[in-house]
């Protein structure tokens, strides 16, 4: 069921049941990691993946998605909910730079992620392709370490979005720096097999 339809019910018990169904399907298929749910905000009605994200309201999105995550987690599934953060357009998202105030960032865009971590108890998260100003969100130490881990107490794993060829329009290596990502706190780079395997010169230290 599409995210906006679930959110339109305002029913957190139903949302948890949906998460439990995801968990049961995962067990049947032998899968224990889910790249979802998508929890970005409907900033524009023309958003290319609004069918996947829940709503334009961060509190409603957080309440519903948090229950979906809790239901799937109760069935033993790691939910790498996404895309952290301010991923509000699909076209050219690999190099898009977003500029906003810290107040807007915290009150609108970060709020849902905070709720899913602190209330939904998610143990996984996926970063995004876009940038905040000049900083790639997936390589942002302030976001991945200072906010996620130090402020919110996140103890789970952070994965990148899938490395690819920029939908054929850009050279993704111009936009994605795996070394900076690891140093910022990213735990796993999702790679299609040829992107960065020969370019890694740093490692993640769990201590």
């Amino acid at each position: 069921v599409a995210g906006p339809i679930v959110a339109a019910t305002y029913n957190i018990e139903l949302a948890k049941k949906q998460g439990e169904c995801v968990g049961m399907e995962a067990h049947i298929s032998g899968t224990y990691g889910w790249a979802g749910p998508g929890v970005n905000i409907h900033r524009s009605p023309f958003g290319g993946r609004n069918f996947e994200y829940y709503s334009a309201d961060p509190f409603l999105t957080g309440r519903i998605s948090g229950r979906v995550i809790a239901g799937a987690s109760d069935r033993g599934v790691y939910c790498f909910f996404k895309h952290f953060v301010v991923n509000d357009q699909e076209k050219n998202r690999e190099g898009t730079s977003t500029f906003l105030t810290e107040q807007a960032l915290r009150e609108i865009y970060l709020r849902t992620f905070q709720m899913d971590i602190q209330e939904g108890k998610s143990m996984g998260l996926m970063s995004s392709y876009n940038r905040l100003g000049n900083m790639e969100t997936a390589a942002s130490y302030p976001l991945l370490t200072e906010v996620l881990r130090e402020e919110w107490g996140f103890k789970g794993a952070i994965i990148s979005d899938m490395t690819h060829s920029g939908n054929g329009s850009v050279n993704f290596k111009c936009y994605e720096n795996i070394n900076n990502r690891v140093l910022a706190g990213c735990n796993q780079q999702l790679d299609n097999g040829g992107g960065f395997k020969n370019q890694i010169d740093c490692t993640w230290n769990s201590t």
Side-chain angles (χ1 to χ4, degrees), residues 112-139:
T112 294
F113 289 90
Q114 182 178 8
M115 293 175 68
D116 285 344
I117 289 170
Q118 296 181 338
E119 298 178 18
K121 306 300 182 184
S122 179
M123 291 299 291
L125 178 141
M126 179 185 289
S127 62
S128 56
Y129 289 124
N130 59 286
R131 295 168 178 258
L132 287 184
N134 294 324
M135 174 58 69
E136 182 190 9
T137 55

Side-chain angles (χ1 to χ4, degrees), residues 54-72:
Y54 291 92
S55 77
D57 180 80
F59 181 80
L60 174 61
T61 298
R63 288 288 284 167
I64 295 295
S65 61
R67 292 295 86 201
V68 173
I69 290 169

Side-chain angles (χ1 to χ4, degrees), residues 95-173:
T96 297
S97 294
T98 303
F99 295 85
L100 72 169
T101 65
E102 184 176 352
Q103 180 178 358
L105 177 64
R106 289 185 176 273
E107 292 182 357
I108 301 173
Y109 298 98
L110 288 177
R111 180 68 185 276
T112 294
F113 289 90
Q114 182 178 8
M115 293 175 68
D116 285 344
I117 289 170
Q118 296 181 338
E119 298 178 18
K121 306 300 182 184
S122 179
M123 291 299 291
L125 178 141
M126 179 185 289
S127 62
S128 56
Y129 289 124
N130 59 286
R131 295 168 178 258
L132 287 184
N134 294 324
M135 174 58 69
E136 182 190 9
T137 55
S140 172
Y141 185 86
L143 286 174
L144 300 190
T145 296
E146 293 179 356
V147 172
L148 276 176
R149 300 197 185 280
E150 295 176 2
E151 287 189 30
W152 298 348
F154 180 62
K155 303 297 184 183
I158 302 171
I159 64 174
S160 73
D161 207 338
M162 177 61 73
T163 297
H164 59 74
S165 58
N167 296 326
S169 60
V170 296
N171 183 345
F172 63 95
K173 294 178 183 178

Side-chain angles (χ1 to χ4, degrees), residues 16 18-24 26-27 32 34 36-37 65-81 116 119-124:
K16 186 173 183 182
Q18 184 194 30
E20 292 172 349
C21 288
V22 171
M24 287 188 289
H27 279 287
Y32 298 97
W34 176 28
S65 61
R67 292 295 86 201
V68 173
I69 290 169
S73 298
D74 285 349
R75 300 284 180 170
V77 174
Y78 276 85
C79 300
F80 296 94
F81 71 110
D116 285 344
E119 298 178 18
K121 306 300 182 184
S122 179
M123 291 299 291

